[in-house]
Amino acid sequence: MSTGVLIVDDSHFMRNLLRQILEEDYDIVGEASNGAEAVKLYKEQQPDIVMMDIVMPKCNGIKATAAIKKLDPDSRVIMCTSVGQREKMKLAVKAGADGYVTKPFEEPSVRKALKDVVPA
């Protein structure tokens, strides 16, 4: 059974980039462009992992992560953050983030972040 991943980023380019990196080894169960969509899709798809951008319109990744963790404390959320967002990252960890990757994405770091939160 393959691991289902929900990709959340307001940038279409970033969602595509993550999809390209992950689709060979993971099942992409959905994509969302803001935190509100992410929470809705999480309820519908129940992915194994959520790749969550922090800065998004409507509902940011920190609020969405907190909402997903409230729905499912066992959910696994990896934050996607830009260099220099240390304070936001601290808030994300407080909200329940299980890991993070830094943009610009590099395939090895994305794969490592997923392997770190998915039991073998």
Side-chain angles (χ1 to χ4, degrees):
M1 191 178 100
S2 110
T3 303
V5 179
L6 172 61
I7 298 172
V8 187
D9 199 303
D10 57 323
S11 161
H12 183 72
F13 174 79
M14 286 298 177
R15 290 195 312 270
N16 272 347
L17 183 60
L18 277 172
R19 177 180 281 279
Q20 287 172 6
I21 291 171
L22 299 173
E23 66 188 352
E24 190 178 313
D25 297 317
Y26 298 91
D27 181 22
I28 308 304
V29 297
E31 293 184 17
S33 60
N34 64 61
E37 280 179 24
V39 174
K40 182 177 180 286
L41 273 174
Y42 187 88
K43 287 178 192 172
E44 291 170 8
Q45 300 293 331
Q46 299 188 332
D48 299 295
I49 301 172
V50 180
M51 298 294 293
M52 179 83 72
D53 186 23
I54 290 184
V55 180
M56 294 180 288
K58 292 186 186 165
C59 173
N60 68 36
I62 296 166
K63 288 180 182 168
T65 296
I68 287 170
K69 287 291 183 174
K70 192 173 178 183
L71 283 171
D72 179 4
D74 296 327
S75 62
R76 290 174 286 213
V77 182
I78 297 172
M79 303 309 288
C80 303
T81 176
S82 299
V83 174
Q85 291 188 333
R86 186 182 234 134
E87 288 309 307
K88 286 190 175 94
M89 200 53 234
K90 284 181 188 171
L91 292 172
V93 168
K94 229 176 175 171
D98 299 286
Y100 72 95
V101 290
T102 307
K103 296 177 187 178
F105 298 124
E106 291 180 12
E107 191 167 335
S109 60
V110 172
R111 288 181 178 281
K112 182 182 181 325
L114 270 84
K115 282 187 172 59
D116 286 349
V117 301
V118 177

